[in-house]
Amino acid sequence: RLAQALLGTMLLAVGLPETEAASLVSDGTFDNLPVGTGPDNNAPAGGWSLNEAIVEGVPSYLSIVPAPAGSDGNALRISIPAGDNPDRPYFVFHRLATPLTTASGGILHVSFDIYIEAGGQGPGLYLGNGSLQRPEDYRASQFDWDAFGKLITYENSRRPNLTTLVNSYPRNIWQTVRLELDVAKARFNFYWGEKGQPFTVVRTNLDFHSPQPHTVRTIRIGRWAGGSP
């Protein structure tokens, strides 16, 4: 499989959408990061890091590039060639400035732009605790832009439920995703649309991937072992 995607402006905020975004994620626009660089083991790109515990890196798979037409500034490019070992994961993570827990409650608003190149597929993405031990038990919202053109989410892992959110996602245009995560209730709402156009309320009241108490402290983007995506 060929994974080719770019991630644009990313905002995360507690409370009102976007108004406090900068307090939870740094370098969310990628504009302050030099073009041509990418996160490497023990060498973060701003707030974005590779997970050195499981990544054996080819840093050129992840790099900062000028954003394609339709967006300004820079983007994070993920480009994994066909034929690469699908059991070797590549992903970056960003720790939130303030974790949210089941006890603390609060609504986490997430907004980001994504551009998937023709002939490729998108990344996997999830918000969660960030633990590498039994990671399926620590994930809140989890998504894949899969090789068949579907945008899917993984709901309750104790009753596996693969939910299709978009049957055929577009390529070569910017898409915008918005999430509203209720950490106390372990549920979220999903909004999606072409960048600059009105959002569609795709689904509401979706289950988190794992049902037990949560701490949402990281966002991860890339490819996990097994080639998903």
Side-chain angles (χ1 to χ4, degrees):
R1 298 177 181 180
L2 183 67
Q4 292 185 322
L6 298 98
L7 191 75
T9 300
M10 173 167 285
L11 304 173
L12 292 92
V14 178
L16 298 175
E18 302 185 12
T19 56
E20 301 174 14
S23 67
L24 290 187
V25 61
S26 61
D27 300 309
T29 66
F30 308 103
D31 290 346
N32 293 326
L33 305 177
V35 169
T37 64
D40 196 357
N41 284 342
N42 302 311
W48 299 92
S49 302
L50 290 180
N51 194 315
E52 67 279 359
I54 63 172
V55 173
E56 299 175 5
V58 179
S60 61
Y61 286 4
L62 298 154
S63 60
I64 306 300
V65 299
S71 188
D72 299 323
N74 293 341
L76 173 67
R77 185 170 193 261
I78 303 168
S79 181
I80 301 174
D84 182 78
N85 181 358
D87 293 322
R88 181 167 52 191
Y90 294 95
F91 62 86
V92 290
F93 72 93
H94 194 300
R95 289 188 175 91
L96 307 189
T98 304
L100 273 74
T101 68
T102 301
S104 69
I107 304 298
L108 178 62
H109 296 269
V110 181
S111 175
F112 61 90
D113 300 329
I114 186 169
Y115 181 103
I116 300 171
E117 298 173 341
Q121 69 179 94
L125 181 151
Y126 80 88
L127 294 106
N129 185 21
S131 172
L132 295 178
Q133 302 300 317
R134 297 183 63 193
E136 70 277 5
D137 289 344
Y138 299 97
R139 298 179 183 179
S141 301
Q142 177 173 340
F143 309 94
D144 280 344
W145 283 257
D146 73 15
F148 304 102
K150 292 185 177 183
L151 170 53
I152 57 178
T153 187
Y154 299 86
E155 293 192 77
N156 194 329
S157 61
R158 293 183 182 172
R159 52 167 186 77
N161 185 2
L162 189 65
T163 301
T164 299
L165 299 171
V166 177
N167 281 309
S168 181
Y169 60 74
R171 292 174 170 88
N172 282 352
I173 66 168
W174 284 98
Q175 309 163 48
T176 298
V177 172
R178 282 191 177 178
L179 310 171
E180 295 173 349
L181 284 74
D182 187 329
V183 181
K185 295 181 179 178
R187 292 181 178 275
F188 68 100
N189 301 330
F190 184 90
Y191 308 84
W192 176 88
E194 184 177 341
K195 183 176 180 178
Q197 301 299 316
F199 287 104
T200 298
V201 182
V202 177
R203 290 287 296 271
T204 61
N205 212 31
L206 291 157
D207 287 334
F208 278 6
H209 178 61
S210 51
Q212 65 274 7
H214 287 81
T215 298
V216 178
R217 70 175 76 247
T218 64
I219 183 165
R220 294 176 181 268
I221 305 156
R223 182 193 69 181
W224 284 265
S228 178

